[in-house]
Amino acid sequence: MSSTTTSEGSPEPGRRVYLDSASGEALHPAARRALEAALDTAYADPRRLHHAGGAARLVLDNARAATAEALGVRPDEVTFASSGTDAVQRGLLGLLGPGRGSGGEGPLVVHSAVEHSAVLHAAEWSGATTRSVGVDPAGRLRLDDLPPGAAGLAGATVVACQSANHEVGTIQPVESVAERLDGVPLFVDACASAGRLPLPQGWSALAASAHKWGGPAGVGVLVVRRGTRWHDPFPPDERAGERESGFENVPAVLAAAAALQAVVAERAAENARTNALVMRIRRVVGGLPDIDVVGDPVERLPHVVTFSCLYVDGEALVSELDRLGFEVASGSACTSSTLEPSHVLAAMGALTHGNVRVSVGRGTTDDDVTRFLEALPGAVERLRARI
Amino acid sequence: MLQLDCREMVCPAPIIELARHVRDVAVGDLIAVVASDAAARVDVPAWCRMTGHEYVGEDLAGDEVPRYVVRRVE
């Protein structure tokens, strides 16, 4: 152990290590600069015809153009939503179209078993029939269960497949799914990967979330491909554009766009750096007794690693690590009100208890990971000893 | 077959009980966990995979609570 580490592996007093960038990345400096500038200039309603409205409109249009360029889509395909969840709901439900859930041969949503709960809840809320496609032990959608042509997607109205899994990091074969669509529109929840990885191809609508790439929270991005049949699933807002609702937080949208541009420009180097940190965590944690590292070891997000520890309550482990100064997430819910294990881990056949997700970000250093790896075995052993 | 009553337990307690008692049966014999906790359905097979024991399957105890059956290996 290093000299700055106590016997229990905690960091020096006051030094906390944030390892939950997959839940929310710290604000990128480029976002802060854009936000501060736009707060004073882009306060007006961008739909008003006066000068101040025009100034806000200009900022909004610049943000849209920058976002489109960074994502590799067209500006008129980009709509800013109020969160990633909002973008997911609008994207998925908009593809279902009018008359969804209207009895008889109603609509059918085919989705991977490991979609984010926002996708699953939206599909259920729509009243559509849903069909779940299973995943392999690494969490990757089983393409064998989605044969090409009518057999695989018989009667599907929309197919939903995430770009990468938010809990275990496994990248999904979106483009192979797209090859099997036979005209059925594909919705992609890209919240876990957008900014860090290029978008896959072959989808009709896609959702992303700015605070996952270092933009502010409260900005979602909905992308609807040109020529897609998309129908507003929510009450109309006649003040806004076709897919918009309400008054955008224009300064936050600009900050999100600035962060996205910066992250895309930096990602070759940054992904290599975070990937090395994750590989080190996977190697060390994988060598600890009775711990399973889950998710694909190679085809995965560069910044996420998830593991499950036998005989440990995941939430207790999160609290113990937090006490030591390390901030991680958990897919375990042993003591939560629902008592339902993570549907992602369950679908993979992975151990659902004792689960920890570590996600490294721009601010994570080699030293942070060293200290985490020094602290983890003791934390797990202390909890096991309480049994 | 040794049967562990883990009906009132939440995860990971049923798995801890299973690990504690698996050596109470002879190699090749069966041990079962009766657990209402939903996580056990995933965690018993995952425990078997991680520890080298054989997961036999799931049925119901007399009171309709799920029962997960394991064969001791090693």
Side-chain angles (χ1 to χ4, degrees):
Chain A
M1 283 186 186
S2 74
S3 59
T4 55
T5 305
T6 71
S7 60
E8 287 198 345
S10 62
E12 56 213 88
R15 169 109 171 99
R16 298 193 62 80
V17 176
Y18 182 70
L19 296 170
D20 196 15
S21 68
S23 291
E25 174 69 286
L27 196 68
H28 194 288
R32 181 182 301 278
R33 287 193 295 272
L35 187 64
E36 283 175 355
L39 280 171
D40 288 331
T41 58
Y43 52 86
D45 186 336
R47 292 172 190 92
R48 293 301 178 196
L49 298 176
H50 46 59
H51 190 83
R57 166 58 61 185
L58 190 62
V59 170
L60 184 59
D61 287 345
N62 284 344
R64 192 188 319 276
T67 300
E69 186 188 17
L71 294 178
V73 299
R74 297 165 48 106
D76 61 0
E77 295 174 329
V78 172
T79 303
F80 294 107
S82 60
S83 66
T85 299
D86 183 33
V88 161
Q89 292 173 349
R90 288 175 184 283
L92 176 64
L93 299 173
L95 291 181
L96 271 173
R100 55 199 159 75
S102 57
E105 287 290 302
L108 170 66
V109 177
V110 175
H111 60 81
S112 88
V114 296
E115 293 301 305
H116 191 280
S117 60
V119 174
L120 301 179
H121 286 309
E124 189 182 340
W125 180 85
S126 76
T129 306
T130 59
R131 189 163 84 227
S132 179
V133 180
V135 297
D136 66 18
R140 178 170 291 101
L141 181 136
R142 286 189 191 276
L143 286 169
D144 291 349
D145 294 347
L146 210 63
L153 291 166
T157 315
V158 177
V159 175
C161 182
Q162 63 196 185
S163 57
N165 187 263
H166 52 291
E167 280 189 39
V168 302
T170 299
I171 292 174
Q172 300 295 350
V174 171
E175 292 176 4
S176 297
V177 172
E179 287 167 8
R180 289 161 163 76
L181 291 171
D182 202 22
V184 178
L186 174 64
F187 170 73
V188 171
D189 168 13
C191 291
S193 74
R196 298 182 193 271
L197 299 177
L199 298 182
Q201 300 294 317
W203 42 270
S204 294
L206 176 143
S209 176
H211 74 112
K212 308 274 192 198
W213 67 61
V219 179
V221 178
L222 167 64
V223 190
V224 178
R225 279 297 196 201
R226 229 171 156 220
T228 297
R229 289 180 62 179
W230 185 91
H231 183 271
D232 194 342
F234 297 136
D237 183 351
E238 77 286 350
R239 301 164 304 172
E242 185 198 359
R243 293 189 290 270
E244 295 157 2
S245 179
F247 185 161
E248 287 99 342
N249 183 346
V250 178
V253 162
L254 184 73
L260 180 62
Q261 276 191 317
V263 164
V264 168
E266 296 161 355
R267 73 182 168 199
E270 186 63 9
N271 286 356
R273 193 183 71 83
T274 57
N275 187 50
L277 296 176
V278 163
M279 285 203 298
R280 188 167 148 224
I281 296 170
R282 290 187 71 98
R283 191 179 65 246
V284 173
V285 173
L288 297 174
D290 292 329
I291 298 185
D292 218 9
V293 181
V294 299
D296 195 289
V298 178
E299 292 296 310
R300 57 167 170 75
L301 294 171
H303 64 302
V304 174
V305 49
T306 302
F307 51 88
S308 292
C309 310
L310 269 175
Y311 318 127
V312 173
D313 172 354
E315 285 159 325
L317 184 52
V318 168
S319 297
E320 175 66 4
L321 289 169
D322 186 60
R323 187 181 72 78
L324 298 173
F326 302 97
E327 299 166 335
V328 301
S330 174
S332 298
C334 294
T335 54
S336 79
S337 55
T338 63
L339 295 176
E340 284 297 321
S342 152
H343 71 276
V344 172
L345 298 172
M348 296 167 64
L351 194 71
T352 68
H353 71 248
N355 179 259
V356 166
R357 182 187 70 185
V358 174
S359 47
V360 298
R362 291 185 61 258
T364 312
T365 65
D366 284 347
D367 186 50
D368 291 339
V369 169
T370 299
R371 288 198 272 200
F372 173 74
L373 292 172
E374 284 172 355
L376 178 71
V380 172
E381 282 316 308
R382 275 191 295 284
L383 293 176
R384 283 179 180 159
R386 285 183 202 165
I387 294 167
Chain B
M1 177 165 66
L2 177 62
Q3 186 164 304
L4 305 173
D5 179 4
C6 304
R7 283 176 178 80
E8 304 303 315
M9 297 178 188
V10 297
C11 73
I15 305 303
I16 292 168
E17 283 302 295
L18 177 57
R20 262 191 190 134
H21 291 286
V22 68
R23 284 184 175 77
D24 295 351
V25 302
V27 171
D29 281 359
L30 300 178
I31 180 170
V33 179
V34 181
S36 44
D37 183 55
R41 179 163 291 123
V42 180
D43 285 356
V44 173
W47 178 85
C48 289
R49 178 175 49 75
M50 289 173 73
T51 58
H53 296 287
E54 180 194 343
Y55 181 63
V56 176
E58 174 186 347
D59 60 6
L60 292 175
D63 56 355
E64 305 285 297
V65 174
R67 182 172 75 164
Y68 308 96
V69 181
V70 171
R71 186 186 311 280
R72 183 184 167 192
V73 177
E74 101 205 46

